Amino acid sequence: MDQELKSMKQVDIIRTVTLPLMSKFGIGEGLELKVTRRGAKPNGGGEVIFKCPVRRKLLPLQFIKPGKIKRIRGVAYAMRVSPAMSNRIVDATRGVLNQFVPDIYIYTDHMKGAQSGKSPGFGLSLVAETTEGSFISAEMSSNQPGQEPSIPEDIGRQTAQLLLEEIYRGGCVDSRHQSLALLFMALGQSDVSKILTGPLSPYTIQFLRHLRDFFQLMFKIEAQKQLEDEQIGAEKVQLTCIGIGFSNLSKTIL
């Protein structure tokens, strides 16, 4: 899991999870990410179009109700390989997730020609949406040429298991987005912000130390106790802070 947390987020996760999280801080209108070409390691060749509005201040956040999983969506993509790779990933993924959630839809995205980048590859991004509007994600991609070949069925099953692990950890954001949410809370207006997460990842713990060193900001961290008959998943943590009131000086004041 630690290696998975260290990897870069794929563009589909940024589009379906990161951008909705940013919108909760008041950066929603005009925020857009479009994939025009997909690239894989090592030679890349992908292309995206990203649009982001300029905001003077970030809104405080009160996000302490994660809700229950209501549906799972995903994208199985393939570049410069057979289209059957995507279908094999989908079949293996559904073989795991169909036991838990009925509402599952995984899109297949097979890029051809110039849109397929410069290296062959395939992978899967999964997102679980809750009744309270939180998003939990997991992703995996194939190994680079020269490494041990990846099997599409293994990619599907392992990504599904990673998603179930994130769901078990719980909280309003997944492990990959804990640090981003805390950063925006710290930079927000001088008001109270709260968020409920699962167990803090090692990356997030170190990130909290950086926030303390750079902004002299300390979060109040409280373990949320659950009754034995109500316990769902791992222990939850509630983090509270008062934003430093950071203001974007490049935004013209009308």
Side-chain angles (χ1 to χ4, degrees):
M1 184 64 179
D2 290 341
Q3 291 181 352
E4 185 70 13
L5 292 175
K6 293 177 183 177
S7 63
M8 296 294 290
K9 290 193 286 288
Q10 295 175 5
V11 65
D12 296 297
I13 297 299
I14 296 176
R15 178 173 54 84
T16 57
V17 181
T18 307
L19 300 192
L21 176 61
M22 293 173 62
S23 68
K24 294 182 181 298
F25 292 90
I27 323 177
E29 185 178 356
L31 192 60
E32 181 184 356
L33 179 63
K34 182 180 179 181
V35 182
T36 58
R37 290 203 300 262
R38 287 187 180 274
K41 295 181 179 180
N43 298 323
E47 180 182 82
V48 299
I49 299 175
F50 177 64
K51 298 179 181 179
C52 183
V54 178
R55 293 288 181 266
R56 184 166 178 80
K57 295 182 178 180
L58 297 175
L59 300 178
L61 178 70
Q62 301 284 331
F63 201 14
I64 57 176
K65 294 183 179 180
K68 298 181 179 181
I69 303 298
K70 65 178 182 179
R71 59 173 168 247
I72 294 176
R73 297 291 182 263
V75 177
Y77 56 88
M79 303 84 67
R80 296 189 178 275
V81 295
S82 169
M85 294 293 191
S86 300
N87 297 327
R88 291 168 60 184
I89 292 174
V90 172
D91 291 341
T93 305
R94 294 188 68 92
V96 176
L97 297 179
N98 278 343
Q99 305 174 55
F100 304 99
V101 183
D103 189 356
I104 301 173
Y105 192 91
I106 302 175
Y107 302 85
T108 57
D109 188 7
H110 180 252
M111 292 290 188
K112 300 179 181 179
Q115 294 182 323
S116 61
K118 300 178 181 179
S119 297
F122 53 87
L124 174 66
S125 300
L126 292 175
V127 178
E129 183 180 354
T130 74
T131 54
E132 296 293 334
S134 63
F135 297 89
I136 308 297
S137 65
E139 61 185 359
M140 283 195 71
S141 58
S142 59
N143 291 332
Q144 301 181 33
Q147 299 178 342
E148 182 180 356
S150 299
I151 300 174
E153 287 78 7
D154 290 344
I155 294 289
R157 285 190 292 266
Q158 292 173 17
T159 308
Q161 291 166 0
L162 284 173
L163 181 66
L164 293 176
E165 182 178 345
E166 286 289 350
I167 292 173
Y168 174 81
R169 293 168 65 90
C172 297
V173 293
D174 58 32
S175 302
R176 292 170 176 268
H177 291 83
Q178 288 176 353
S179 57
L180 179 66
L182 298 181
L183 174 62
F184 284 0
M185 288 168 61
L187 295 176
Q189 298 181 36
S190 301
D191 200 351
V192 177
S193 291
K194 296 181 180 180
I195 194 168
L196 185 73
T197 73
L200 300 179
S201 68
Y203 182 93
T204 303
I205 293 172
Q206 183 60 44
F207 188 78
L208 286 169
R209 297 190 181 108
H210 290 324
L211 291 178
R212 178 197 60 194
D213 295 339
F214 282 90
F215 298 118
Q216 289 74 53
L217 177 68
M218 298 283 287
F219 278 78
K220 180 180 180 182
I221 304 176
E222 300 174 285
Q224 297 297 104
K225 295 183 179 180
Q226 303 180 72
L227 299 176
E228 291 186 2
D229 58 344
E230 295 180 351
Q231 185 169 1
I232 302 175
E235 293 292 334
K236 307 300 184 293
V237 179
Q238 180 173 298
L239 295 101
T240 307
C241 79
I242 297 178
I244 64 172
F246 180 83
S247 180
N248 183 5
L249 298 179
S250 65
K251 176 68 173 176
T252 304
I253 302 177
L254 299 178

